[in-house]
Amino acid sequence: WQAWAVLEKEQGEVERARELLQRGLGRVSARRGRALLLSTLGSLLASERRYAEAESYFQQALSLDEANPLTRYHFAVQVLLPLGRREEACAHLQRALALGPRKARDQRRIEQALRKHCSSQSSSHP
């Protein structure tokens, strides 16, 4: 469901992508699978600047799979930072890094986000 929805979004079919994710949520019962669909839906809504709805989906995803570093990364970068909630975003980014993303590419993304958005925050505290 998730891959199909991402493909639809990339082709400009945002409404179709959202429908696919909702349909997937109606059929997927595994916690991690549902969390992935919820996180993807959050990303989709964030890309439309529908931050309140996106936050709700990210929070639901984290309640099902709180140890997913990519959900934390996307939540921080796509919702919290645009809303000016830097401290909260940095906490999620730090937790994402501590969880140890599987792919080196994902780890680099998280590290870059931490350097860009959080490094001055940590250096401003003695």
Side-chain angles (χ1 to χ4, degrees):
W1 296 103
Q2 188 257 358
W4 190 7
V6 169
L7 181 62
E8 292 290 339
K9 180 187 181 272
E10 288 174 359
Q11 294 177 355
E13 298 291 335
V14 176
E15 187 59 37
R16 177 82 173 123
R18 192 176 14 251
E19 289 170 11
L20 286 167
L21 292 167
Q22 292 289 358
R23 194 175 336 156
L25 285 169
R27 297 185 180 183
V28 174
S29 59
R31 290 176 68 88
R32 291 180 77 190
R34 290 186 63 75
L36 178 62
L37 293 171
L38 289 162
S39 179
T40 304
L41 193 50
S43 288
L44 182 71
L45 291 165
S47 73
E48 297 177 317
R49 297 184 179 172
R50 294 167 60 178
Y51 298 120
E53 292 170 86
E55 180 171 5
S56 172
Y57 284 108
F58 276 115
Q59 292 290 5
Q60 290 176 61
L62 288 169
S63 74
L64 293 172
D65 186 9
E66 69 98 31
N68 186 315
L70 292 180
T71 296
R72 291 183 177 279
Y73 166 79
H74 289 292
F75 180 40
V77 171
Q78 295 175 335
V79 175
L80 298 174
L81 288 171
L83 290 175
R85 292 162 54 188
R86 184 172 166 232
E87 190 173 316
E88 192 177 348
C90 291
H92 278 282
L93 290 169
Q94 290 166 347
R95 178 75 173 124
L97 189 61
L99 288 166
R102 290 182 188 153
K103 296 179 181 174
R105 176 191 70 205
D106 295 332
Q107 181 158 340
R108 284 192 301 274
R109 282 185 188 166
I110 295 166
E111 290 169 345
Q112 287 174 330
L114 277 165
R115 279 194 302 276
K116 181 177 181 181
H117 301 287
C118 307
S119 60
S120 62
Q121 179 183 20
S122 59
S123 63
S124 66
H125 294 81

